Coordinates of all heavy atoms in Angstrom, one line a residue:
M1 N 69.3 47.1 127.5 CA 68.0 47.6 127.8 C 67.6 47.2 129.2 O 66.9 48.0 129.8 CB 67.0 47.2 126.7 CG 67.2 47.9 125.4 SD 66.2 47.4 124.0 CE 64.6 47.0 124.7
D2 N 67.9 46.0 129.6 CA 67.5 45.5 130.9 C 68.1 46.4 132.0 O 67.5 46.7 133.0 CB 67.9 44.1 131.1 CG 67.1 43.1 130.1 OD1 66.0 43.5 129.7 OD2 67.7 42.0 129.9
L3 N 69.4 46.7 131.8 CA 70.1 47.5 132.8 C 69.5 48.9 132.9 O 69.3 49.4 133.9 CB 71.6 47.5 132.4 CG 72.5 48.2 133.4 CD1 72.4 47.5 134.7 CD2 73.9 48.2 132.9
E4 N 69.2 49.5 131.7 CA 68.6 50.8 131.7 C 67.3 50.8 132.4 O 67.0 51.7 133.2 CB 68.5 51.3 130.3 CG 68.1 52.8 130.2 CD 69.0 53.7 130.9 OE1 70.3 53.5 130.9 OE2 68.6 54.7 131.5
T5 N 66.5 49.8 132.2 CA 65.2 49.7 132.9 C 65.4 49.6 134.4 O 64.7 50.3 135.1 CB 64.4 48.5 132.3 OG1 64.2 48.6 130.9 CG2 63.1 48.3 133.0
R6 N 66.3 48.8 134.8 CA 66.5 48.6 136.3 C 67.1 49.9 136.9 O 66.8 50.2 138.0 CB 67.4 47.4 136.5 CG 66.8 46.1 136.1 CD 66.8 45.0 137.1 NE 67.0 45.3 138.5 CZ 67.9 44.7 139.3 NH1 68.7 43.7 138.8 NH2 68.0 44.9 140.6
R7 N 67.9 50.6 136.2 CA 68.5 51.8 136.7 C 67.5 52.9 136.9 O 67.7 53.8 137.7 CB 69.6 52.3 135.8 CG 70.9 51.4 135.8 CD 71.9 51.7 134.8 NE 72.5 53.0 135.0 CZ 73.1 53.6 134.0 NH1 73.3 53.1 132.8 NH2 73.6 54.8 134.2
R8 N 66.4 52.9 136.2 CA 65.3 53.9 136.4 C 64.8 53.7 137.8 O 64.1 54.7 138.3 CB 64.2 53.7 135.3 CG 64.7 54.1 133.9 CD 63.5 54.1 133.0 NE 64.0 54.2 131.7 CZ 63.7 53.4 130.6 NH1 62.7 52.5 130.8 NH2 64.2 53.5 129.5
E9 N 64.8 52.6 138.4 CA 64.3 52.3 139.7 C 65.2 52.9 140.8 O 64.8 53.0 141.9 CB 64.1 50.8 139.9 CG 63.1 50.2 139.0 CD 63.2 48.7 139.0 OE1 63.9 48.1 139.8 OE2 62.5 48.1 138.2
G10 N 66.4 53.3 140.4 CA 67.4 53.8 141.4 C 68.7 53.2 141.2 O 68.9 52.2 140.3
P11 N 69.7 53.7 141.9 CA 71.1 53.1 141.7 C 71.1 51.6 142.0 O 70.4 51.2 142.9 CB 71.9 53.9 142.7 CG 71.1 55.2 142.9 CD 69.7 54.7 142.8
L12 N 72.0 50.9 141.3 CA 72.1 49.5 141.5 C 73.5 49.2 142.2 O 74.4 49.9 141.9 CB 72.1 48.7 140.1 CG 70.8 48.9 139.3 CD1 71.0 48.2 138.0 CD2 69.6 48.3 140.0
S13 N 73.5 48.1 142.9 CA 74.8 47.7 143.5 C 75.6 47.1 142.3 O 75.1 46.7 141.3 CB 74.6 46.7 144.6 OG 74.1 45.5 144.0
P14 N 76.9 47.0 142.5 CA 77.7 46.3 141.5 C 77.2 44.9 141.2 O 77.2 44.4 140.1 CB 79.2 46.3 142.1 CG 79.2 47.5 142.9 CD 77.8 47.6 143.6
A15 N 76.8 44.2 142.2 CA 76.2 42.8 142.1 C 75.0 42.9 141.2 O 74.8 42.0 140.3 CB 76.0 42.2 143.4
D16 N 74.1 43.9 141.4 CA 72.9 44.0 140.7 C 73.2 44.3 139.2 O 72.6 43.8 138.3 CB 72.0 45.1 141.2 CG 71.3 44.7 142.5 OD1 71.2 43.5 142.8 OD2 71.0 45.6 143.3
V17 N 74.2 45.1 139.0 CA 74.6 45.5 137.6 C 75.1 44.2 136.9 O 74.6 43.9 135.8 CB 75.8 46.5 137.6 CG1 76.4 46.7 136.2 CG2 75.3 47.9 138.1
M18 N 76.0 43.4 137.5 CA 76.5 42.2 136.9 C 75.4 41.2 136.7 O 75.3 40.5 135.6 CB 77.7 41.7 137.7 CG 78.9 42.6 137.6 SD 79.4 43.2 136.0 CE 79.8 41.6 135.3
T19 N 74.5 41.0 137.7 CA 73.4 40.0 137.5 C 72.5 40.4 136.4 O 72.1 39.6 135.6 CB 72.6 40.0 138.9 OG1 73.5 39.5 139.9 CG2 71.5 39.0 138.8
T20 N 72.2 41.7 136.3 CA 71.3 42.1 135.2 C 71.9 41.9 133.9 O 71.3 41.4 132.9 CB 71.0 43.6 135.4 OG1 70.3 43.8 136.7 CG2 70.1 44.1 134.3
L21 N 73.2 42.2 133.7 CA 73.9 42.0 132.5 C 74.0 40.5 132.1 O 73.8 40.1 131.0 CB 75.3 42.7 132.5 CG 75.3 44.2 132.5 CD1 76.8 44.7 132.7 CD2 74.8 44.7 131.2
I22 N 74.4 39.7 133.0 CA 74.5 38.3 132.8 C 73.2 37.7 132.4 O 73.1 36.9 131.5 CB 75.2 37.6 134.0 CG1 76.7 38.0 134.1 CG2 75.1 36.0 133.8 CD1 77.4 37.6 135.3
D23 N 72.2 38.0 133.1 CA 70.8 37.5 132.8 C 70.4 38.0 131.5 O 69.8 37.2 130.7 CB 69.8 38.0 133.9 CG 69.9 37.3 135.2 OD1 70.6 36.3 135.3 OD2 69.3 37.8 136.2
G24 N 70.7 39.2 131.1 CA 70.4 39.7 129.7 C 71.1 38.9 128.7 O 70.5 38.6 127.6
I25 N 72.4 38.6 128.9 CA 73.2 37.9 127.9 C 72.6 36.5 127.8 O 72.5 35.9 126.7 CB 74.7 37.8 128.3 CG1 75.3 39.2 128.2 CG2 75.4 36.8 127.5 CD1 76.6 39.3 128.8
R26 N 72.2 35.8 128.9 CA 71.7 34.5 128.8 C 70.4 34.4 128.1 O 70.0 33.4 127.5 CB 71.5 34.0 130.3 CG 72.7 33.6 130.9 CD 72.5 33.0 132.3 NE 73.7 32.6 133.0 CZ 73.8 32.4 134.3 NH1 72.8 32.7 135.1 NH2 74.9 32.0 134.7
S27 N 69.6 35.5 128.1 CA 68.3 35.5 127.4 C 68.4 35.7 125.9 O 67.4 35.5 125.2 CB 67.4 36.5 128.1 OG 67.8 37.8 127.8
E28 N 69.6 36.2 125.5 CA 69.8 36.4 124.0 C 70.1 35.1 123.3 O 70.7 34.3 123.8 CB 70.9 37.4 123.8 CG 70.6 38.8 124.4 CD 69.5 39.5 123.6 OE1 69.4 39.3 122.4 OE2 68.8 40.2 124.2
K29 N 69.6 35.1 122.1 CA 69.9 33.9 121.3 C 71.4 33.7 121.0 O 71.8 32.6 120.7 CB 69.1 33.9 120.0 CG 67.6 33.8 120.2 CD 66.8 33.8 118.9 CE 65.4 33.7 119.2 NZ 64.6 33.8 117.9
I30 N 72.1 34.8 121.0 CA 73.5 34.7 120.7 C 74.4 34.1 121.9 O 75.5 33.7 121.7 CB 74.1 36.0 120.2 CG1 75.4 35.9 119.5 CG2 74.1 37.0 121.4 CD1 75.9 37.1 118.8
G31 N 73.8 34.1 123.1 CA 74.5 33.7 124.3 C 75.3 32.4 124.1 O 76.4 32.4 124.5
P32 N 74.6 31.4 123.6 CA 75.4 30.1 123.6 C 76.6 30.1 122.7 O 77.5 29.2 122.9 CB 74.3 29.1 123.1 CG 73.0 29.7 123.4 CD 73.2 31.2 123.3
I33 N 76.7 31.0 121.7 CA 77.8 31.0 120.8 C 78.9 32.0 121.2 O 80.0 32.1 120.6 CB 77.5 31.2 119.3 CG1 76.9 32.6 119.1 CG2 76.5 30.1 118.9 CD1 76.9 33.0 117.7
L34 N 78.7 32.7 122.3 CA 79.7 33.7 122.8 C 81.1 33.0 123.0 O 82.1 33.6 122.6 CB 79.2 34.4 124.0 CG 78.1 35.4 123.7 CD1 77.7 36.1 125.0 CD2 78.6 36.5 122.8
P35 N 81.2 31.8 123.6 CA 82.5 31.3 123.8 C 83.2 31.0 122.5 O 84.4 31.2 122.3 CB 82.3 30.0 124.6 CG 81.0 30.2 125.3 CD 80.2 31.1 124.4
Q36 N 82.4 30.6 121.5 CA 83.0 30.4 120.1 C 83.5 31.7 119.5 O 84.6 31.7 118.9 CB 82.0 29.7 119.2 CG 82.5 29.4 117.8 CD 81.5 28.7 117.0 OE1 80.4 28.3 117.4 NE2 81.8 28.6 115.7
L37 N 82.7 32.7 119.6 CA 83.1 34.0 119.1 C 84.4 34.5 119.8 O 85.4 35.0 119.2 CB 82.1 35.1 119.3 CG 80.9 35.0 118.4 CD1 79.8 36.0 118.8 CD2 81.3 35.3 116.9
W38 N 84.5 34.3 121.1 CA 85.7 34.7 121.9 C 86.9 33.9 121.3 O 88.0 34.5 121.1 CB 85.5 34.3 123.3 CG 86.6 34.8 124.2 CD1 87.9 34.2 124.3 CD2 86.5 35.7 125.2 NE1 88.6 34.9 125.3 CE2 87.8 35.8 125.9 CE3 85.5 36.6 125.7 CZ2 88.0 36.7 126.9 CZ3 85.8 37.5 126.7 CH2 87.0 37.5 127.3
G39 N 86.8 32.6 121.1 CA 87.9 31.8 120.6 C 88.3 32.2 119.1 O 89.4 32.2 118.8
E40 N 87.3 32.5 118.3 CA 87.6 32.9 116.9 C 88.3 34.3 116.9 O 89.1 34.5 116.0 CB 86.3 33.0 116.1 CG 85.7 31.7 115.7 CD 86.5 30.9 114.8 OE1 87.1 31.5 113.9 OE2 86.5 29.6 114.9
A41 N 88.0 35.1 117.9 CA 88.6 36.4 117.9 C 90.2 36.4 118.1 O 90.9 37.2 117.7 CB 88.0 37.3 119.1
V42 N 90.6 35.2 118.6 CA 92.1 35.0 118.8 C 92.7 34.9 117.5 O 93.9 35.3 117.3 CB 92.3 33.8 119.7 CG1 93.8 33.5 119.8 CG2 91.7 34.0 121.1
V43 N 92.1 34.3 116.5 CA 92.7 34.0 115.3 C 92.1 34.7 114.0 O 92.7 34.7 112.9 CB 92.7 32.4 114.9 CG1 93.5 31.7 116.0 CG2 91.2 31.9 114.9
Q44 N 91.0 35.5 114.2 CA 90.4 36.2 113.1 C 90.4 37.7 113.4 O 89.6 38.1 114.3 CB 88.9 35.7 112.9 CG 88.8 34.3 112.5 CD 89.3 34.0 111.1 OE1 89.3 35.0 110.2 NE2 89.8 32.8 110.8
P45 N 91.2 38.4 112.8 CA 91.3 39.9 113.1 C 90.0 40.6 112.9 O 89.7 41.5 113.7 CB 92.3 40.4 112.1 CG 93.2 39.2 111.8 CD 92.2 38.1 111.8
D46 N 89.2 40.3 112.0 CA 87.9 40.9 111.8 C 86.9 40.7 112.9 O 86.2 41.6 113.4 CB 87.3 40.6 110.4 CG 87.1 39.1 110.2 OD1 87.9 38.3 110.8 OD2 86.2 38.7 109.4
I47 N 86.9 39.5 113.4 CA 86.1 39.1 114.6 C 86.6 39.8 115.8 O 85.8 40.3 116.7 CB 85.9 37.6 114.7 CG1 85.1 37.0 113.5 CG2 85.2 37.3 116.0 CD1 85.0 35.6 113.5
L48 N 87.9 39.8 116.0 CA 88.6 40.5 117.1 C 88.1 42.0 117.2 O 87.8 42.5 118.3 CB 90.1 40.4 117.0 CG 90.9 41.2 118.1 CD1 90.5 40.6 119.4 CD2 92.4 41.1 117.8
A49 N 88.1 42.6 116.0 CA 87.7 44.0 116.0 C 86.2 44.2 116.5 O 85.9 45.1 117.3 CB 87.8 44.6 114.6
I50 N 85.4 43.3 116.1 CA 84.0 43.3 116.5 C 83.8 43.1 118.0 O 83.2 43.8 118.8 CB 83.1 42.4 115.7 CG1 83.0 42.8 114.3 CG2 81.7 42.2 116.3 CD1 82.4 41.8 113.3
V51 N 84.5 42.0 118.5 CA 84.4 41.6 119.9 C 85.1 42.7 120.8 O 84.5 43.0 121.8 CB 85.1 40.2 120.1 CG1 85.3 39.9 121.5 CG2 84.3 39.1 119.4
S52 N 86.2 43.2 120.3 CA 86.8 44.3 121.1 C 85.9 45.6 121.2 O 85.8 46.1 122.3 CB 88.1 44.8 120.4 OG 89.0 43.7 120.5
G53 N 85.2 45.9 120.2 CA 84.2 47.0 120.2 C 83.1 46.8 121.2 O 82.7 47.7 121.9
V54 N 82.6 45.6 121.2 CA 81.5 45.2 122.1 C 82.0 45.3 123.6 O 81.4 45.8 124.4 CB 81.0 43.8 121.8 CG1 80.1 43.3 122.9 CG2 80.3 43.8 120.5
F55 N 83.3 44.8 123.8 CA 83.8 44.8 125.2 C 84.1 46.3 125.6 O 83.9 46.6 126.8 CB 85.0 43.9 125.3 CG 84.6 42.5 125.6 CD1 84.6 41.6 124.6 CD2 84.2 42.1 126.9 CE1 84.2 40.2 124.8 CE2 83.8 40.8 127.1 CZ 83.8 39.9 126.1
V56 N 84.5 47.1 124.7 CA 84.7 48.5 125.1 C 83.4 49.1 125.5 O 83.3 49.9 126.5 CB 85.3 49.3 123.9 CG1 85.3 50.8 124.1 CG2 86.8 48.9 123.7
Q57 N 82.3 48.9 124.7 CA 81.0 49.4 125.1 C 80.5 48.8 126.4 O 79.9 49.5 127.3 CB 80.0 49.1 124.0 CG 78.7 49.7 124.2 CD 77.7 49.4 123.0 OE1 78.1 48.6 122.1 NE2 76.6 50.0 123.0
L58 N 80.7 47.5 126.6 CA 80.3 46.8 127.8 C 81.0 47.4 129.1 O 80.4 47.7 130.1 CB 80.5 45.4 127.7 CG 80.2 44.5 128.9 CD1 78.7 44.6 129.3 CD2 80.5 43.0 128.7
R59 N 82.3 47.6 128.9 CA 83.1 48.3 130.0 C 82.5 49.6 130.4 O 82.4 50.0 131.5 CB 84.5 48.3 129.7 CG 85.4 49.0 130.8 CD 86.8 49.1 130.4 NE 87.4 47.9 130.8 CZ 88.6 47.5 130.5 NH1 89.4 48.3 129.7 NH2 89.1 46.4 130.9
A60 N 82.3 50.4 129.4 CA 81.7 51.8 129.6 C 80.4 51.7 130.3 O 80.1 52.5 131.2 CB 81.6 52.5 128.3
T61 N 79.6 50.8 129.9 CA 78.2 50.6 130.5 C 78.3 50.3 132.0 O 77.7 50.8 132.8 CB 77.4 49.6 129.7 OG1 77.2 50.0 128.4 CG2 76.1 49.3 130.4
I62 N 79.3 49.3 132.3 CA 79.4 48.9 133.6 C 80.0 50.0 134.5 O 79.5 50.2 135.6 CB 80.4 47.6 133.7 CG1 79.6 46.4 133.1 CG2 80.8 47.3 135.1 CD1 80.5 45.2 132.8
Q63 N 81.0 50.7 134.0 CA 81.6 51.8 134.7 C 80.5 52.9 135.0 O 80.5 53.4 136.2 CB 82.7 52.5 133.9 CG 84.0 51.6 133.9 CD 85.1 52.2 133.1 OE1 84.8 52.9 132.1 NE2 86.3 51.9 133.4
E64 N 79.7 53.2 134.1 CA 78.7 54.2 134.3 C 77.7 53.8 135.4 O 77.3 54.5 136.3 CB 78.0 54.5 133.0 CG 76.9 55.6 133.1 CD 76.2 55.8 131.8 OE1 76.8 55.7 130.7 OE2 75.0 56.1 131.8
A65 N 77.3 52.5 135.3 CA 76.3 52.0 136.2 C 76.8 51.9 137.6 O 76.1 52.3 138.6 CB 75.8 50.6 135.8
V66 N 78.1 51.5 137.7 CA 78.7 51.3 139.1 C 79.0 52.7 139.7 O 78.9 52.9 140.9 CB 79.9 50.4 139.0 CG1 80.7 50.4 140.3 CG2 79.5 49.0 138.6
A67 N 79.3 53.7 138.8 CA 79.6 55.0 139.3 C 78.5 55.7 140.0 O 78.7 56.5 140.9 CB 80.1 55.9 138.2
E68 N 77.3 55.3 139.6 CA 76.1 55.8 140.3 C 76.1 55.5 141.7 O 75.5 56.1 142.6 CB 74.8 55.3 139.6 CG 74.7 55.9 138.2 CD 73.4 55.4 137.5 OE1 72.7 54.5 138.1 OE2 73.0 55.9 136.5

Protein backbone atom coordinates (compact mmCIF):
# COMPACT_ATOMS: atom_id res chain seq x y z
CA MET A 1 0.00 0.00 0.00
CA ASP A 2 2.88 2.38 0.75
CA LEU A 3 4.32 1.84 -2.70
CA GLU A 4 0.98 2.42 -4.40
CA THR A 5 0.49 5.65 -2.44
CA ARG A 6 3.94 6.94 -3.42
CA ARG A 7 3.44 5.93 -7.07
CA ARG A 8 0.38 8.20 -7.28
CA GLU A 9 2.76 11.13 -6.86
CA GLY A 10 4.60 10.10 -10.02
CA PRO A 11 7.16 7.54 -11.18
CA LEU A 12 9.68 6.43 -8.58
CA SER A 13 13.35 5.72 -9.08
CA PRO A 14 14.48 2.14 -8.41
CA ALA A 15 16.05 3.38 -5.17
CA ASP A 16 12.73 4.96 -4.12
CA VAL A 17 10.91 1.71 -4.89
CA MET A 18 13.27 -0.35 -2.76
CA THR A 19 13.36 2.21 0.07
CA THR A 20 9.57 2.32 0.19
CA LEU A 21 9.29 -1.48 0.23
CA ILE A 22 11.96 -1.92 2.89
CA ASP A 23 10.46 0.80 5.09
CA GLY A 24 7.08 -0.87 4.71
CA ILE A 25 8.46 -4.27 5.73
CA ARG A 26 10.20 -2.73 8.74
CA SER A 27 6.94 -1.15 9.91
CA GLU A 28 5.06 -4.46 9.85
CA LYS A 29 4.88 -6.60 12.98
CA ILE A 30 6.00 -9.65 10.97
CA GLY A 31 9.27 -7.96 9.95
CA PRO A 32 11.42 -9.29 12.80
CA ILE A 33 10.49 -12.92 12.08
CA LEU A 34 11.15 -12.80 8.33
CA PRO A 35 14.65 -14.32 8.68
CA GLN A 36 13.14 -17.21 10.65
CA LEU A 37 10.48 -17.78 7.97
CA TRP A 38 13.18 -17.75 5.31
CA GLY A 39 15.15 -20.38 7.25
CA GLU A 40 12.09 -22.55 7.84
CA ALA A 41 11.27 -22.44 4.13
CA VAL A 42 14.44 -24.43 3.48
CA VAL A 43 13.16 -27.42 5.45
CA GLN A 44 9.36 -27.01 5.45
CA PRO A 45 7.68 -27.46 2.05
CA ASP A 46 4.44 -25.80 3.17
CA ILE A 47 6.26 -22.69 4.34
CA LEU A 48 8.36 -22.73 1.16
CA ALA A 49 5.18 -22.58 -0.90
CA ILE A 50 3.93 -19.54 1.03
CA VAL A 51 7.27 -17.74 0.96
CA SER A 52 7.70 -18.47 -2.75
CA GLY A 53 4.26 -17.04 -3.50
CA VAL A 54 5.08 -13.87 -1.60
CA PHE A 55 8.36 -13.46 -3.47
CA VAL A 56 6.68 -13.97 -6.84
CA GLN A 57 4.23 -11.22 -5.96
CA LEU A 58 7.02 -8.98 -4.63
CA ARG A 59 9.06 -9.44 -7.82
CA ALA A 60 6.05 -8.53 -9.97
CA THR A 61 5.42 -5.44 -7.86
CA ILE A 62 9.02 -4.30 -8.19
CA GLN A 63 9.12 -4.96 -11.94
CA GLU A 64 5.95 -2.96 -12.48
CA ALA A 65 7.12 -0.03 -10.38
CA VAL A 66 10.58 0.11 -11.96
CA ALA A 67 9.15 -0.21 -15.48
CA GLU A 68 7.36 3.10 -15.00
